[in-house]
């Protein structure tokens, strides 16, 4: 065997001859040939240069640069390497692993990185990062190197058990046996300073000493006494190297009967007496070179700049990974594509409120409308106070036959923009706006409609919607509301009957009823084209008396209210399209909880369910416009805004973006996923929908405990090469508030900081090429209310 290792502290080579007795060992080596051998623990092989061939478990695997292979305990393996191959190997003994993970003997680890399912790439990056870091720390040998190395070993053990563990098939008695060996190992670790004997432990486990001796060696790979000595020697090292205690004191402190016994055991393990070892290791520094058996000097692989560059690459790749190591059970999803499913995606229209019509002359709002229209689809822009506001200029008294005063100058510019974008106008007319000056209102509104038809043409104007919105109480008589609505309807009918005219109703889902003064709509159903309503999940929550029961009761509030309203209207023979103009999912009632409570999946699931039930869904264009529409100084939770300040996209924007991106025929569906097939391939959307008290969103442990990991196996895919795109959307990737909170200052933030926040707060994107024959597996770890959107695009050959 030709094997040359990196530089090590003097005496360490001798120490490593008995590899089986160490807790763990990290090494970087050139390997040309390593004959068949067996290791009683878990070994990780990581190729950083060249290629090696590993014969393992009856097959041969080629490991190329960046590949990782796990060798499970008690397995035999051999290695053949290229001339310039460099391999990092980490050995973790069974007794050390079992000491910290009691189910170690029930488990084995999925072996080859090339065979891992999609979704484990970032985990492997972190594994490479930790292994590279351990090597560099070993040869830096700084004050903290030992701590860094031990920390990395524990992280790797956590990753193995968290991401790569497979259950060992159990046979009768296995569980009892494996729990027993863990108890024995723990007992030795706790009582190694005492005169512990095999007979004493056998008696405590109700076994004969001879059986325990055979059993212990079978499970750990070493004999009981050898293991006990290993534990005692391990603990004695600190006293030997870092104290001035004599050998008698060290022996007595660490469970050896005499100094002579301690010296004999030590020399058998390390080929040196404790005194020789202490003298050598306390005085000598790290050697710069090693000598082969024939006296030739061997250059350490660590002296190669190329190796340092390679290690630096792996350190950089995993430096930003932030794994949650808490145990989250992997949920399996076996999905068979079914093209016979009688289920389709709904298609709702989108209404975006911008305040007054003149707001469209604001360059920033124009930009937001165009952006939303391109990515989300905007069917209507909603306005209010058309007559009462300042969009229409005052009429000026003149002696001209035809007035040249530009009453519609502002509105024309705004309408011209909408026509260019092919977006309709949605005019909300409030009861109060009419009665402030009824005659003036109808005169000016009629003039506006006449002018719009003449200037912009019927094809554009007749697609508009007009909504009459009465008060949210019963203080106004039904006759009065009916009179004003019919007057508005008749005015529009005179100009063009093609415009849709609708009425807003206050529906109480608890009473399954509307206000008494709204019952007239059933008499005039022929003159009402659509019904508008509100549905805000926060209406059921008293934030001053928050209880978990309230959140459970409000889970399906919006969809339930919509269904009840449809049933109520149908009972009164009024089957009209529904427009959900003002709505909201569960949110917080303060700036802080509203920001920390990420709810992307809540919004997406709600829209997916509503898309078949309603004609249109409304949004506000941004925070500024929404807040201006209310005189309240409190946070507004009665609607959803697409943009934050400075064009930052809010989570609702991205949730709707994924909804619009999803198309094709539904071929699979579950409680936390939806899959479609279209002309380009497949789309899969995953969500970890969680409804809970928004105040808990500030508790990181609570959030982590409700994360979810899904393991999907898709069957029945079309054989092809695919380009796979994965978008991750969660509080870290697309959530705007965390970035605002991190980059804040009591002295304010400037344009540079704002631009950075806006640019960085977007869903992440990962890209992978893969050839799929029939089935494909992948993992997705979803934070709370996260969305993962996967596109599998067939490659055109």
């Amino acid at each position: 065997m030709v094997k040359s290792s990196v530089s090590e502290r003097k005496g360490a080579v001798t120490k490593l001859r008995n590899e089986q007795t160490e807790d763990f060992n990290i090494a970087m080596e050139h390997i040309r040939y390593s004959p068949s051998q067996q290791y009683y623990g878990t070994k990780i092989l990581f190729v950083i240069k060249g290629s090696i061939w590993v014969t393992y478990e009856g097959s041969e695997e080629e490991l190329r640069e960046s590949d990782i292979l796990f060798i499970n305990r008690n397995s035999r393996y051999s290695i053949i390497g290229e001339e310039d191959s460099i391999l990092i190997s980490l050995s973790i003994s069974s007794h050390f692993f079992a000491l910290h993970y009691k189910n170690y003997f029930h488990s084995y680890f999925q072996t080859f990185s090339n065979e891992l399912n999609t979704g484990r790439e970032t985990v492997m990056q972190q594994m490479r990062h930790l292994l590279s870091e351990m090597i560099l720390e070993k040869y830096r040998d700084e004050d903290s190197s030992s701590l860094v190395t031990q920390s990395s070993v524990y992280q790797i053990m956590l990753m193995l058990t968290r991401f790569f563990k497979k259950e060992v098939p159990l046979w009768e008695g296995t569980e009892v046996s494996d729990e027993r060996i863990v108890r024995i190992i723990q007992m030795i670790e706790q009582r190694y300073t005492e005169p512990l004997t095999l007979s004493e432990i056998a008696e405590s486990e109700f076994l004969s000493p001879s059986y325990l001796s055979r059993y212990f060696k079978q499970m750990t790979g070493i004999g009981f006494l050898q293991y006990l000595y290993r534990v005692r020697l391990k603990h004695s090292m600190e006293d030997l190297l870092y104290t001035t205690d004599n050998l008698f004191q060290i022996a007595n402190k660490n469970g050896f009967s005499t100094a002579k016994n301690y010296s004999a055991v030590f020399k058998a393990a390390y080929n040196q007496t404790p005194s020789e070892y202490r003298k050598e290791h306390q005085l000598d520094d790290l050697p710069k070179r090693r000598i082969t058996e024939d006296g030739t000097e061997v250059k350490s692989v660590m002296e190669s700049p190329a190796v340092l560059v390679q290690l630096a690459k792996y350190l950089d790749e995993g430096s930003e990974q932030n794994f949650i190591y808490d145990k989250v059970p992997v949920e399996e999803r076996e999905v068979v594509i079914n093209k016979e499913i009688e289920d389709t995606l709904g298609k709702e229209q989108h209404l975006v409120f911008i305040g007054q019509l003149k707001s469209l002359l604001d360059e920033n709002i124009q930009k937001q409308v165009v952006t939303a229209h391109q990515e989300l689809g905007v069917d209507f822009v909603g306005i209010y106070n058309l007559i009462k506001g300042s969009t229409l200029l005052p009429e000026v008294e003149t002696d001209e036959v035809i007035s040249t005063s530009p009453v519609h100058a502002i509105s024309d510019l705004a309408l011209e923009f909408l026509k260019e974008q092919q977006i309709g106008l949605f005019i909300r007319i409030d009861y109060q706006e009419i009665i402030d000056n009824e005659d003036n209102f109808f005169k000016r509104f009629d003039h506006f409609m006449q002018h719009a038809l003449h200037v912009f043409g019927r094809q554009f104007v007749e697609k508009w919607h007009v909504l009459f919105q009465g008060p949210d109480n019963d203080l106004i008589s039904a006759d009065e509301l009916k009179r004003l609505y019919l007057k508005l309807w008749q005015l529009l009918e005179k100009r063009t009957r093609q415009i849709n005219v609708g009425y807003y109703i206050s529906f109480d889902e608890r009473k399954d009823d509307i206000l008494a003064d709204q019952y007239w709509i059933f008499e005039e159903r022929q003159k009402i084209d659509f019904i508008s309503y509100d549905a805000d999940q926060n209406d059921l929550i008293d934030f001053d008396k928050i209880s978990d029961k309230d959140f459970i009761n409000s889970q399906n509030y919006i969809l339930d209210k919509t269904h009840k309203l449809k049933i109520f209207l149908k009972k009164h023979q009024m089957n009209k399209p529904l427009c959900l103009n003002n709505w909201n999912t569960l949110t917080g009632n303060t700036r802080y909880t509203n920001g920390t409570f990420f709810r992307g999946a809540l919004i997406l699931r709600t829209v997916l369910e509503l898309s078949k039930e309603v004609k249109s869904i409304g949004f506000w264009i941004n925070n500024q416009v929404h807040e201006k529409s209310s005189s309240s100084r409190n946070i507004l939770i009665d609607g959803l805004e697409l943009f934050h300040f400075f064009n930052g996209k809010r989570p609702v924007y991205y949730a709707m973006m994924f909804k619009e991106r999803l198309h094709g025929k539904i071929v699979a569906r579950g409680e936390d996923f939806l899959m479609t097939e279209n002309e380009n391939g497949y789309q899969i959307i995953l969500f970890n929908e969680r409804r809970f008290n928004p105040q808990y969103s500030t508790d990181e442990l609570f959030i982590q405990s409700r994360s979810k990991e899904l393991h999907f196996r898709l069957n029945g895919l079309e054989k092809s090469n695919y380009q796979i795109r994965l978008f991750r959307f969660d509080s870290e990737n697309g959530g705007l508030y965390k970035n605002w909170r991190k980059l804040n200052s009591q002295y304010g933030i400037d344009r540079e900081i704002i631009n950075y926040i806006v640019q960085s707060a977007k869903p992440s994107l990962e890209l992978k090429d893969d050839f799929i024959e029939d089935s494909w597996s992948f993992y997705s770890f979803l934070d709370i209310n996260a969305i993962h959107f996967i596109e599998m695009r067939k490659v055109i050959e």
Side-chain angles (χ1 to χ4, degrees), residues 693-755:
N693 185 334
Q695 290 186 348
Y696 298 158
S697 63
T698 61
D699 183 347
E700 290 295 331
L701 290 178
F702 177 88
I703 297 300
Q704 290 177 12
S705 68
R706 280 152 180 80
S707 298
K708 174 189 288 189
E709 183 165 29
L710 301 175
H711 180 205
F712 273 83
R713 179 173 294 278
L714 306 178
N715 300 299
L717 298 170
E718 183 178 337
K719 182 178 178 180
S720 180
N721 283 302
Y722 289 88
Q723 183 191 73
I724 299 170
R725 304 182 184 202
L726 167 60
F727 295 89
R728 298 178 189 273
F729 177 45
D730 51 38
S731 61
E732 298 288 343
N733 304 284
L736 192 63
Y737 188 78
K738 278 195 174 181
N739 285 20
W740 279 101
R741 190 175 60 180
K742 289 176 184 175
L743 294 174
N744 218 320
S745 166
Q746 61 178 320
Y747 305 111
I749 55 179
D750 57 22
R751 172 61 65 180
E752 179 184 27
I753 297 172
I754 291 169
N755 286 341

Side-chain angles (χ1 to χ4, degrees), residues 75 89 96 100 107 186 266-267 277 304 397 541 553 583 590 614 668 672 680 686 772 781 783:
S75 298
S89 64
F96 180 72
H100 299 286
S107 310
Q186 290 175 338
F266 194 99
K267 188 170 184 179
Y277 190 93
S304 166
E397 291 187 11
I541 306 297
N553 292 338
W583 65 288
T590 69
V614 301
D672 44 26
N680 297 320
L686 317 174
I772 299 174
F781 185 86
D783 288 334

Side-chain angles (χ1 to χ4, degrees), residues 536-764:
D536 189 345
Q537 194 169 338
N538 299 288
D539 289 344
L540 293 187
I541 306 297
D542 183 348
F543 285 99
D544 294 327
K545 303 176 182 177
I546 286 180
S547 70
D548 290 336
K549 184 179 179 181
D550 292 333
F551 298 99
I552 295 172
N553 292 338
S554 70
Q555 281 191 4
N556 299 310
Y557 170 75
I558 298 174
L559 191 63
D560 288 346
K561 179 171 183 176
T562 302
H563 285 159
K564 288 183 177 181
L565 175 57
K566 293 181 82 170
I567 293 171
F568 173 79
L569 293 174
K570 187 176 182 180
K571 185 171 67 175
H572 291 84
Q573 294 81 48
M574 193 168 191
N575 298 317
K576 301 292 182 179
L578 297 181
C579 296
L580 180 56
N581 291 348
N582 229 34
W583 65 288
N584 208 337
T585 63
L586 186 64
T587 184
N589 66 328
T590 69
R591 291 282 181 196
Y592 185 50
T593 56
N594 190 49
T596 57
F597 182 60
F598 184 79
R599 53 204 174 109
L602 295 182
I603 296 168
L604 176 64
R605 285 296 297 269
T606 301
V607 175
L608 283 171
E609 292 168 345
L610 285 172
S611 61
K612 293 183 178 180
E613 305 293 337
V614 301
K615 177 182 180 180
S616 67
I617 297 178
F619 306 92
W620 288 89
I621 190 65
N622 59 38
N623 282 65
Q624 187 177 3
V625 166
H626 191 192
E627 290 175 358
K628 191 183 291 186
S629 71
S630 171
S631 58
S632 172
R633 295 175 59 87
N634 297 324
I635 181 174
L636 295 174
I637 57 175
D638 61 347
L640 291 163
E641 307 94 350
L642 297 177
F643 294 89
H644 197 250
F645 298 98
F646 309 106
N647 293 317
K649 295 173 181 175
R650 293 179 61 87
V652 63
Y653 184 98
Y654 290 118
M656 293 305 300
M657 182 184 75
F658 291 127
K659 165 63 173 62
E660 285 304 296
R661 195 179 182 112
L662 193 67
H663 70 285
K665 177 177 174 53
I666 296 176
V667 292
R669 191 171 207 162
E671 66 176 51
D672 44 26
F673 75 94
L674 178 68
M675 181 174 181
T676 65
E677 182 178 12
N678 53 56
E679 66 279 4
N680 297 320
Y682 304 95
Q683 293 177 314
I684 311 150
I685 196 159
L686 317 174
F687 20 74
N688 180 23
E689 183 185 20
R690 301 282 186 171
R691 291 179 171 89
F692 57 91
N693 185 334
Q695 290 186 348
Y696 298 158
S697 63
T698 61
D699 183 347
E700 290 295 331
L701 290 178
F702 177 88
I703 297 300
Q704 290 177 12
S705 68
R706 280 152 180 80
S707 298
K708 174 189 288 189
E709 183 165 29
L710 301 175
H711 180 205
F712 273 83
R713 179 173 294 278
L714 306 178
N715 300 299
L717 298 170
E718 183 178 337
K719 182 178 178 180
S720 180
N721 283 302
Y722 289 88
Q723 183 191 73
I724 299 170
R725 304 182 184 202
L726 167 60
F727 295 89
R728 298 178 189 273
F729 177 45
D730 51 38
S731 61
E732 298 288 343
N733 304 284
L736 192 63
Y737 188 78
K738 278 195 174 181
N739 285 20
W740 279 101
R741 190 175 60 180
K742 289 176 184 175
L743 294 174
N744 218 320
S745 166
Q746 61 178 320
Y747 305 111
I749 55 179
D750 57 22
R751 172 61 65 180
E752 179 184 27
I753 297 172
I754 291 169
N755 286 341
Y756 176 84
I757 292 172
V758 170
Q759 290 301 316
S760 59
K762 59 180 62 175
S764 67

